Amino acid sequence: MFPFLLVCPHHSFPVCLMEGNKTWPLVPGGSGAVGPAPSHPKEIGELGKAGIMASDCEPALNQAEGRNPTLERYLGALREAKNDSEQFAALLLVTKAVKAGDIDAKTRRRIFDAVGFTFPNRLLTTKEAPDGCPDHVLRALGVALLACFCSDPELAAHPQVLNKIPILSTFLTARGDPDDAARRSMIDDTYQCLTAVAGTPRGPRHLIAGGTVSALCQAYLGHGYGFDQALALLVGLLAAAETQCWKEAEPDLLAVLRGLSEDFQKAEDASKFELCQLLPLFLPPTTVPSECLRDLQAGLARILGSKLSSWQRNPALKLAARLAHACGSDWIPAGSSGSKFLALLVNLACVEVRLALEETGTEVKEDVVTACYALMELGIQECTRCEQSLLKEPQKVQLVSVMKEAIGAVIHYLQQVGQEKQKEPFVFASVRILGAWLAEETSSLRKEVCQLLPFLVRYAKTLYEEAEEANDLSQQVATLAISPTTPGPTWPGDALRLLLPGWCHLTVEDGPREILIKEGAPSLLCKYFLQQWELTSPGHDTSVLPDSVEIGLQTCCHIFLNLVVTAPGLIKRDACFTSLMNTLMASLPALVQQQGRLLLAANVATLGLLMARLLSTSPALQGTPASRGFFAAAILFLSQSHVARATPGSDQAVLALSPDYEGIWADLQELWFLGMQAFTGCVPLLPWLAPAALRSRWPQELLQLLGSVSPNSVKPEMVAAYQGVLVELARANRLCREAMRLQAGEETASHYRMAALEQCLAEP
């Protein structure tokens, strides 16, 4: 029940405030605050009763044209009121002159213009309530007025409303009698105000800054009156500004997540399906607490292990997909129960994908299918994991089989996609899961994949040429698949990056490679590489670049390496590779000096050396400053891989990896050996290269290194690689031979059984 004002019809001012059977006389107090009257009027006459409720100000149909003279007179009195009592009286007369259903937006705004914010401001902050009148009663009147004003979206964004957000937020968690009708009404009006503010363009930001998120969390956790409204408003704020919410109120939001997760784990009724829809919004952008993951997994296991209708199963699949995207497989327990649960997830996802995509004419529930794609991606990762996989080998075999059938359905769907649908988020999501599959498996479904390759090249080209739309698509996919906000790691912003790993495998095979070349994929890849390389060039902050950019550049290098080996004629005739070579030469000198980028430098150096053999007649490689800088950087990469390392108890050192190379040698060694071989091949083709190598002192230092370590510590493949370079340098230049002899080259060659080098140095 709301407090009412009793007004004297003869004097047109309120004489008392009434709540239930209690009455407090009112007159203006000092400085305009509401205070107790010294005595009641002797004659009040017939009292008119009117209530100020927020509901009295709800929008309705517009009045007929023409203004109500009575209303105009009362509005004039409201504007001319000199104190609170006169404002009370005039406001109550206004409420009698118009019915709630007759108030349109214009009338409501004119009432606000007459009242202003000063009066409700004092009601919210006054500390001089009438004797015996609870403090919250006057605050309730102030909130009711604000709620009335906030029904106008323009007023909801008014600075005088926005600066009340901290005060309103405190009302949500204020202690008091839970059965007090006035307090309940005030809480309802408070939520109405905050919800109205949240609906304005910049409202969520103001609410977050005003501490509303924490207050809502505490109100929900307290389970007092209106806690369901607190949860609804929290959901809206998280959907509108997830990152800011977590930044401002992470501990409180985590407390809500713990509560929801626990409720989800214990729920035995239909509420567990409603929680499936809510929980994705409350998963943090950082680490999810382990106890929450346990509860969520246990709840999902019970739901998905039961026979369900689609409306019950689909929210559970979407929650599982959100967890998979945010946490990988970390939320699934190890052991038999975890492996069975993961297998169940992937099987359900594959069945859902096939049902949705194989039946023509069926409306595809794109959000559900995209969530299933995320679960399939988790299955692909676990099936290809060699160590600490959740799955046993028989489970992997079974899942690969069902995922193959689901991928077949995805290919079938993509074959039906017309030009008009290429920019739809669901198509992007379908290309993403196909790319994840092709990154690991290209031998199965080979015929279907080859038939789809022309579409994939055109699709990737379309999105590359409209890069901004591609980035927007990736955000839409995240929204479509998981939640109203972008979860976990950023999804790649272009289709081409999704396809690179698969294309890397396919360029090794004759049939798929010919299709890719025919469709113009190499030229597209060159343009893409150059565009991505710009992001890593000086002037750009590489520290903020996602790892996917550098990984994409490395994968491009692998594709080009495949083309260099399998299609050398293409490298020679296509002008795009000349541009690529120029970029590699210009970039490597700076790249080899950068900490933490050795693997990318290895890719660039090796690719450049192999391409230089094919493009050796190009003017750009005839001893130009760029070519000399490139080969000097390549020598630096090749020469710094190994050092002499002393061993305890031995007089002779051993050959060991340099510290920078040691940690990544498993990924680096193939590139290093290929680079040594390519450099060896460049020496006879570029006459200026041997003298340049001699000036770098690489041959001398290499012989010195071999002479300082035990021959038994140098593996045969290393001996062969070193001998190849030394022999070609010796053959190409007399000064190189002389320098090697001075460095005890013949003796070293004899120790390592380098017959070819020994013979070459024996010549004049």
Side-chain angles (χ1 to χ4, degrees):
M1 184 177 181
F2 197 83
F4 288 89
L5 291 167
L6 302 185
V7 63
C8 173
H10 302 295
H11 299 92
S12 296
F13 63 85
V15 293
C16 58
L17 179 66
M18 178 174 143
E19 181 185 16
N21 58 358
K22 299 178 182 178
T23 305
W24 296 276
L26 299 176
V27 297
S31 68
V34 177
S39 61
H40 288 282
K42 293 180 180 179
E43 271 191 311
I44 295 180
E46 185 181 353
L47 294 177
K49 184 190 293 185
I52 305 175
M53 299 284 290
S55 59
D56 289 334
C57 298
E58 290 298 315
L61 297 174
N62 289 343
Q63 280 182 268
E65 291 189 8
R67 295 183 174 181
N68 183 332
T70 304
L71 175 61
E72 292 304 310
R73 186 167 62 255
Y74 292 159
L75 286 176
L78 188 56
R79 283 189 292 267
E80 295 171 5
K82 297 181 177 60
N83 53 50
D84 287 334
S85 288
E86 291 182 12
Q87 277 199 306
F88 266 123
L91 184 59
L92 290 167
L93 291 172
V94 168
T95 65
K96 293 175 68 177
V98 293
K99 296 180 180 179
D102 293 332
I103 300 179
D104 60 14
K106 290 183 179 179
T107 303
R108 190 189 312 104
R109 184 56 186 259
R110 291 175 61 237
I111 294 173
F112 160 74
D113 290 339
V115 176
F117 280 108
T118 303
F119 182 48
N121 285 351
R122 286 205 300 275
L123 287 171
L124 289 172
T125 58
T126 184
K127 297 180 180 179
E128 300 180 23
D131 290 340
C133 174
D135 292 341
H136 70 268
V137 172
L138 296 181
R139 289 198 296 271
L141 282 170
V143 176
L145 284 171
L146 279 185
C148 174
F149 297 155
C150 286
S151 59
D152 183 333
E154 186 177 343
L155 290 178
H158 195 285
Q160 285 284 358
V161 171
L162 299 179
N163 66 22
K164 303 298 181 300
I165 289 173
I167 298 175
L168 293 172
S169 297
T170 63
F171 295 164
L172 302 180
T173 55
R175 295 182 178 181
D177 182 359
D179 297 322
D180 188 301
R183 185 177 295 280
R184 289 191 170 203
S185 180
M186 181 176 73
I187 290 174
D188 285 335
D189 288 338
T190 299
Y191 280 117
Q192 184 175 332
C193 291
L194 297 176
T195 302
V197 172
T200 63
R202 305 180 74 177
R205 189 185 72 174
H206 289 291
L207 290 173
I208 294 167
T212 302
V213 176
S214 291
L216 291 170
C217 291
Q218 293 165 25
Y220 173 75
L221 293 170
H223 277 67
Y225 179 77
F227 78 98
D228 53 337
Q229 297 181 72
L231 185 62
L233 188 49
L234 264 179
V235 167
L237 290 177
L238 283 167
E242 178 192 38
T243 302
Q244 293 87 341
C245 286
W246 281 100
K247 183 178 179 180
E248 290 294 327
E250 181 173 347
D252 295 302
L253 286 169
L254 286 176
V256 173
L257 174 62
R258 289 186 182 95
L260 291 174
S261 302
E262 187 175 349
D263 292 344
F264 178 63
Q265 193 271 336
K266 294 178 179 178
E268 298 291 345
D269 55 11
S271 65
K272 60 187 176 184
F273 303 114
E274 298 172 3
L275 286 168
C276 275
Q277 297 176 330
L278 285 178
L279 279 162
L281 289 160
F282 287 89
L283 295 178
T286 53
T287 305
V288 182
S290 58
E291 65 271 24
C292 296
L293 292 178
R294 273 195 310 272
D295 288 340
L296 294 174
Q297 189 275 330
L300 282 171
R302 282 208 306 274
I303 290 176
L304 295 174
S306 306
K307 189 175 181 180
L308 302 171
S309 61
S310 59
W311 73 267
Q312 295 169 321
R313 181 177 59 253
N314 292 346
L317 289 173
K318 291 169 72 173
L319 173 58
R322 176 69 170 86
L323 288 166
H325 194 67
C327 309
S329 61
D330 293 344
W331 62 288
I332 301 176
S336 176
S337 63
S339 64
K340 289 179 180 178
F341 175 70
L342 176 57
L344 173 65
L345 274 182
V346 179
N347 274 288
L348 287 173
C350 290
V351 169
E352 195 71 33
V353 168
R354 291 189 63 188
L355 287 174
L357 301 184
E358 286 182 348
E359 297 180 12
T360 55
T362 304
E363 183 180 356
V364 177
K365 295 178 180 177
E366 296 179 350
D367 57 339
V368 177
V369 176
T370 310
C372 291
Y373 287 165
L375 296 176
M376 287 175 60
E377 203 165 330
L378 178 62
I380 292 170
Q381 292 168 3
E382 285 301 314
C383 284
T384 55
R385 180 180 292 182
C386 298
E387 297 180 0
Q388 297 182 333
S389 174
L390 292 171
L391 299 169
K392 298 177 181 177
E393 200 59 35
Q395 291 174 314
K396 291 183 179 181
V397 172
Q398 189 270 332
L399 288 182
V400 168
S401 177
V402 297
M403 286 192 290
K404 174 183 173 182
E405 294 172 347
I407 292 297
V410 174
I411 293 174
H412 172 74
Y413 166 76
L414 290 174
Q415 287 171 336
Q416 319 304 316
V417 171
Q419 185 71 29
E420 72 283 356
K421 287 189 174 182
Q422 286 196 11
K423 297 180 182 178
E424 292 185 1
F426 184 65
V427 175
F428 188 93
S430 301
V431 170
R432 174 188 170 90
I433 187 59
L434 178 59
W437 172 265
L438 292 177
E440 304 296 343
E441 174 58 60
T442 56
S443 59
S444 61
L445 299 170
R446 182 176 301 179
K447 179 181 177 182
E448 292 83 352
V449 169
C450 287
Q451 291 174 345
L452 191 64
L453 277 179
F455 164 80
L456 293 177
V457 175
R458 291 194 299 271
Y459 180 77
K461 184 177 181 181
T462 297
L463 294 194
Y464 167 74
E465 291 174 348
E466 302 174 16
E468 290 186 4
E469 287 193 35
N471 186 63
D472 182 58
L473 270 179
S474 71
Q475 302 302 318
Q476 293 182 52
V477 169
T479 301
L480 180 66
I482 314 295
S483 74
T485 52
T486 305
T490 305
W491 289 49
D494 57 75
L496 191 51
R497 192 179 302 162
L498 306 176
L499 296 168
L500 288 177
W503 286 7
C504 186
H505 298 315
L506 292 170
T507 48
V508 177
E509 305 175 25
D510 292 340
R513 182 176 63 252
E514 290 174 5
I515 296 172
L516 289 170
I517 292 174
K518 180 181 177 182
E519 296 297 328
S523 177
L524 173 62
L525 287 168
C526 283
K527 293 176 183 177
Y528 177 78
F529 181 90
L530 297 176
Q531 182 259 341
Q532 292 290 293
W533 191 263
E534 281 297 313
L535 300 177
T536 69
S537 61
H540 291 79
D541 185 2
T542 57
S543 64
V544 300
L545 286 178
D547 293 341
S548 56
V549 172
E550 189 152 317
I551 293 172
L553 289 170
Q554 292 177 23
T555 310
C556 280
C557 288
H558 295 167
I559 296 174
F560 295 141
L561 287 170
N562 290 341
L563 293 175
V564 167
V565 174
T566 61
L570 175 69
I571 308 299
K572 293 178 180 180
R573 68 173 180 267
D574 198 322
C576 70
F577 287 101
T578 301
S579 299
L580 177 61
M581 185 69 211
N582 290 336
T583 298
L584 299 179
M585 289 195 298
S587 305
L588 186 61
L591 185 61
V592 293
Q593 304 290 342
Q594 296 177 17
Q595 288 290 331
R597 307 191 73 191
L598 181 57
L599 193 54
L600 180 59
N603 278 276
V604 170
T606 304
L607 176 60
L609 290 170
L610 284 168
M611 289 179 63
R613 289 196 311 179
L614 298 176
L615 302 174
S616 60
T617 59
S618 168
L621 286 164
Q622 305 311 310
T624 60
S627 63
R628 289 180 180 275
F630 169 78
F631 276 94
I635 289 173
L636 194 64
F637 158 66
L638 296 171
S639 65
Q640 292 187 339
S641 61
H642 290 78
V643 295
R645 182 176 298 167
T647 55
S650 175
D651 296 335
Q652 203 166 15
V654 297
L655 188 71
L657 286 167
S658 301
D660 290 343
Y661 289 67
E662 193 169 15
I664 58 173
W665 186 246
D667 298 318
L668 199 64
Q669 61 176 337
E670 186 176 351
L671 290 168
W672 186 87
F673 280 108
L674 195 56
M676 291 288 284
Q677 182 182 348
F679 185 92
T680 300
C682 288
V683 173
L685 298 174
L686 301 172
W688 60 268
L689 184 53
L694 182 62
R695 285 193 294 273
S696 74
R697 293 192 54 79
W698 184 26
Q700 300 97 308
E701 290 173 357
L702 180 50
L703 287 169
Q704 184 181 4
L705 174 65
L706 291 173
S708 65
V709 300
S710 168
N712 293 331
S713 69
V714 186
K715 296 179 179 180
E717 59 269 24
M718 293 294 299
V719 173
Y722 286 145
Q723 179 176 224
V725 169
L726 292 170
V727 166
E728 286 301 329
L729 290 173
R731 286 174 179 170
N733 187 270
R734 179 180 58 82
L735 294 177
C736 280
R737 291 195 296 274
E738 293 177 358
M740 291 181 194
R741 292 190 192 105
L742 292 174
Q743 196 63 50
E746 293 174 288
E747 183 181 350
T748 301
S750 176
H751 285 161
Y752 285 89
R753 298 180 180 179
M754 297 180 178
L757 178 60
E758 196 172 2
Q759 180 182 352
C760 184
L761 293 180
E763 297 174 0

